[in-house]
Amino acid sequence: MQGLAVVLFPVLLILFALAMERVEFRLRRLTVREQEVQEFLDKASHADVATLANEGLPRALARFHLRRKRGAEDEDDDESQAQAQEQRAS
């Protein structure tokens, strides 16, 4: 009986450690830095806040970052168009 415990205990301990590693990986993926939360609360639109209420913070932050990225690309396009117009006017 003691021999069975000696053999099974390390196996069960390894299985428990592997299960906890999977849980930790999922939790780490869902964690958000305080700076990101503060930025979201300062600059989020009504649609972003609605996404936060309906789908949770990770999805709302993803949508917020996607919108900001698109906005930055649009600003870059606007700047390049303005420069092209200035060059044509010259």
Side-chain angles (χ1 to χ4, degrees):
M1 189 68 167
Q2 290 176 346
L4 185 62
V6 167
V7 171
L8 286 180
F9 182 75
V11 173
L12 292 175
L13 187 61
I14 289 173
L15 290 175
F16 178 75
L18 289 173
M20 288 297 105
E21 184 178 354
R22 294 186 80 194
V23 169
E24 181 183 1
F25 175 74
R26 289 181 184 164
L27 289 175
R28 190 178 317 132
R29 189 180 65 190
L30 294 176
T31 58
V32 179
R33 293 189 320 241
E34 181 180 345
Q35 179 184 2
E36 289 178 315
V37 173
Q38 187 63 37
E39 180 183 7
F40 177 81
L41 293 175
D42 289 341
K43 299 179 182 178
S45 68
H46 293 293
D48 294 328
V49 174
T51 303
L52 172 64
N54 293 331
E55 301 178 22
L57 188 61
R59 176 71 181 124
L61 271 174
R63 181 180 171 146
F64 175 70
H65 288 305
L66 181 64
R67 184 175 54 87
R68 286 192 62 219
K69 184 177 181 181
R70 261 192 261 138
E73 289 173 358
D74 291 344
E75 289 175 6
D76 291 342
D77 291 342
D78 292 342
E79 289 176 11
S80 59
Q81 287 177 356
Q83 288 175 353
Q85 288 177 352
E86 287 176 10
Q87 288 176 354
R88 287 182 204 145
S90 302

